[in-house]
Amino acid sequence: MSPDAGEVVRCEAVAMSFGNVRALAGIDFHVDAGECVGLVGHNGAGKSTLMHILAGTLPPTCGGIAVGGTAQPAYGVAAAHRLGIRCVFQELSLCPNLTVAENARVFHRTLRGFGWRRRAGALILKQLDTIFPDHKIQPGATVSDLSIGRRQMVEVARAFTVTDAPLRLVILDEPTSSLDAHTAGQLLSFVRRFVAGGGSCILISHLLNEILHHCDRVVVLRDGRIVAADQARAFTRDRLVAAMGAEAATARPTRVKVRQAGEIRVLARAEKNDGAKPVTARAGEIIGLAGLAGHGQTKFLLDVFAASEHPADGLKVTAPVALVAGDRQSDGVFPFWSIAENIGIRSLNRLKRGIFLSPEMEAEHAESWRRRIGIRAQDVHANILWLSGGNQQKVLFARALGSDAAIVLMDDPMRGVDVATKLEVYDMIHAEAAKGRTFIWYTTELEELGHCDHVYVFRNGRIVADLHHDELSEEKVIQSSFQEQRPA
């Protein structure tokens, strides 16, 4: 590896295997100072594995790493931090029982002695103010009490804080996956300012417009190999998707009603509805929930889910319910269970022989959905944590769609899911709705609202707009999202 003053990090012939599974097949990869490199590929392509290697949390099976042109034979987390390399992982790594300030201290050992909490709080608050000016996060807040979007904001801000160690490269693995469009825009604008100031970033995102509009160079991974690399301006969306190994993902036609929706299955009011119309979801409908993240959409879904078991005032739910959680770490996967067990937990009554659960029926059920939804796993009996984040999310879809639930609640469910899988899931949702299933779908991706028959926009726990499909527009959703109260 020859020294290069403009080069922040270089991997040469880096390979990684997990047993018989090859995650990386000897790739060469580099990042220069003052550039943002976009890294794309389907779930399981090797993106997160490469980032773990660069962050020092995973030693490669073979190959070498150089930082600033100097080979690093003993590279690990401490070395990466000392050399100025940070990573915001797709699966957030904050300590949930600690405060925001205490989590900042974990990154900066020099924050010690009398008053360290105050200094740590000031450090993280300054960075939050810089990246997300309207964040409303207090340094003394316990992380577990924050929404997943605000946790994402804290993790991002922490990665950009500086004390004694330098800051050269920040790896952002799906950093906007839990953020609404407004907050994601704030982050991406900050990334460009950071890069313009001489810093470097790696941006991993399944939102291809983010890659095309905010990166200088793009690298495409497929099956553990780099299959394309070029300046971002040389790519189009279709070329990117084709390089990833899928059909060009041009805009799909939005949902068209082909028949009258059926009976009312959900009739529910938001927490602070102030006389507004309740959310109504009928058989065969896809209902969208929109608005800035953390404004009551997830709470609304959880209230509906709870009301399916225990009736509550203002909530009427008339059919079985399944939930596809967006925060799969805390609300989705059972980490000590197999893939098959995670898929089958919502269908136990259908997987019994007599009074006992049939392992054979459970495995057949899981294998059927593994093939149908494209879960990248060789064995459904493997632990679910062997899967990439996106493939874990596919398991949550399989659990819900493979159940007897007539109502499926989806809490920003496409977090960390690749483009091709998204299109397959969209088609599956439409097909299930055509059969009479009801979907209530909270999404922070505005383009996904085009799949909905009706959209309710939330602001501060209130429904501030209800938009039918034919009057839906990005401008109306954004405008409504910033309204303080429902217009007269």
Side-chain angles (χ1 to χ4, degrees):
M1 299 181 187
S2 59
D4 186 340
E7 202 169 76
V8 175
V9 67
R10 173 174 288 275
C11 299
E12 285 193 355
V14 166
M16 187 70 214
S17 296
F18 300 95
N20 294 326
V21 178
R22 184 182 62 185
L24 293 174
I27 68 170
D28 298 331
F29 176 83
H30 74 280
V31 180
D32 292 332
E35 77 166 345
C36 180
V37 177
L39 189 62
V40 298
H42 292 323
N43 296 127
K47 306 183 300 298
S48 292
T49 299
L50 177 59
M51 295 309 100
H52 274 283
I53 289 172
L54 288 174
T57 57
L58 190 66
T61 305
C62 61
I65 297 173
V67 178
T70 302
Q72 303 294 325
Y75 190 71
V77 174
H81 190 87
R82 174 173 48 81
L83 295 167
I85 297 176
R86 313 275 182 83
C87 187
V88 175
F89 295 105
Q90 183 179 354
E91 305 296 345
L92 301 183
S93 60
L94 298 174
C95 300
N97 60 318
L98 301 183
T99 66
V100 172
E102 288 165 345
N103 270 278
R105 162 66 177 81
V106 171
F107 244 41
H108 299 287
R109 300 289 179 87
T110 56
L111 292 172
R112 58 168 65 96
F114 183 76
W116 69 263
R117 279 189 176 83
R118 176 183 52 77
R119 297 197 303 275
L123 182 71
I124 189 71
L125 188 61
K126 179 182 178 181
Q127 204 56 259
L128 281 166
D129 289 342
T130 300
I131 305 173
F132 309 107
D134 49 358
H135 57 84
K136 298 179 181 176
I137 299 170
Q138 297 301 318
T142 302
V143 164
S144 60
D145 294 335
L146 300 178
S147 67
I148 185 172
R150 287 196 166 97
R151 277 181 271 156
Q152 186 99 49
M153 292 159 69
V154 171
E155 180 124 21
V156 168
R158 184 178 69 164
F160 284 97
T161 55
V162 178
T163 50
D164 57 323
L167 183 59
R168 292 179 172 180
L169 170 67
V170 178
I171 304 162
L172 300 167
D173 192 351
E174 299 288 349
T176 65
S177 60
S178 299
L179 306 180
D180 57 64
H182 170 68
T183 312
Q186 291 178 326
L187 171 58
L188 294 171
S189 294
F190 173 80
V191 166
R192 290 312 310 171
R193 298 197 302 273
F194 177 71
V195 170
S200 300
C201 282
I202 299 172
L203 176 62
I204 302 175
S205 178
H206 289 304
L207 301 179
L208 299 187
N209 286 338
E210 291 184 353
I211 297 294
L212 293 171
H213 294 158
H214 297 280
C215 296
D216 302 299
R217 185 162 53 90
V218 179
V219 175
V220 183
L221 275 177
R222 187 168 73 208
D223 297 328
R225 300 179 185 276
I226 293 177
V227 295
D230 209 335
Q231 296 299 305
R233 61 178 176 270
F235 283 95
T236 63
R237 180 183 173 88
D238 287 353
R239 183 189 168 193
L240 262 185
V241 175
M244 290 162 61
E247 297 178 0
T250 53
R252 292 287 182 92
T254 52
R255 178 165 165 77
V256 177
K257 299 281 287 189
V258 296
R259 62 179 178 79
Q260 184 67 33
E263 76 279 1
I264 293 177
R265 285 188 173 150
V266 176
L267 187 66
R269 295 189 180 277
E271 184 181 11
K272 306 173 184 176
N273 236 35
D274 294 349
K277 292 180 181 178
V279 174
T280 303
R282 297 176 178 272
E285 281 190 324
I286 303 174
I287 300 299
L289 308 181
L292 300 176
H295 280 255
Q297 303 94 329
T298 296
K299 183 182 185 305
F300 176 82
L301 290 175
L302 295 177
D303 286 346
V304 171
F305 184 78
S308 67
E309 295 291 336
H310 305 286
D313 291 340
L315 287 170
K316 180 182 179 182
V317 183
T318 64
V321 174
L323 172 67
V324 182
D327 187 357
R328 56 180 166 266
Q329 281 184 300
S330 60
D331 302 326
V333 302
F334 294 91
F336 298 109
W337 291 10
S338 69
I339 298 165
E341 289 168 331
N342 269 277
I343 291 175
I345 185 61
R346 184 58 182 75
S347 305
L348 293 180
N349 289 335
R350 297 162 53 198
L351 302 177
K352 290 180 179 178
R353 285 199 176 99
I355 62 172
F356 297 107
L357 178 69
S358 167
E360 294 80 10
M361 293 175 67
E362 181 182 62
E364 289 172 7
H365 176 71
E367 181 62 28
S368 171
W369 278 96
R370 184 195 69 80
R371 292 193 302 267
R372 184 173 175 183
I373 207 168
I375 298 169
R376 294 174 66 93
Q378 295 180 336
D379 184 1
V380 295
H381 297 292
N383 183 273
I384 192 169
L385 297 184
W386 281 93
L387 299 179
S388 67
N391 278 287
Q392 290 178 29
Q393 197 69 23
K394 291 182 189 180
V395 168
L396 301 189
F397 275 110
R399 178 193 299 168
L401 297 178
S403 74
D404 64 350
I407 303 166
V408 178
L409 310 176
M410 303 192 298
D411 184 14
D412 208 8
M414 302 299 181
R415 183 171 176 255
V417 177
D418 63 63
V419 168
T421 300
K422 284 183 180 181
L423 295 176
E424 292 170 2
V425 172
Y426 298 156
D427 288 343
M428 204 173 295
I429 290 170
H430 291 314
E432 292 294 317
K435 297 175 185 176
R437 222 167 199 168
T438 302
F439 291 86
I440 304 180
W441 183 358
Y442 166 50
T443 174
T444 54
E445 297 184 33
L446 293 175
E447 64 182 28
E448 291 186 341
L449 296 174
H451 294 273
C452 300
D453 299 299
H454 195 96
V455 173
Y456 296 90
V457 183
F458 281 62
R459 169 73 178 175
N460 290 330
R462 300 179 177 91
I463 295 173
V464 294
D466 50 59
L467 306 171
H468 289 280
H469 176 82
D470 56 4
E471 61 180 338
L472 182 66
S473 70
E474 181 175 329
E475 292 75 18
K476 284 186 177 181
V477 172
I478 293 175
Q479 184 181 30
S480 300
S481 297
F482 285 92
Q483 291 176 193
E484 288 300 331
Q485 56 187 344
R486 182 180 173 81

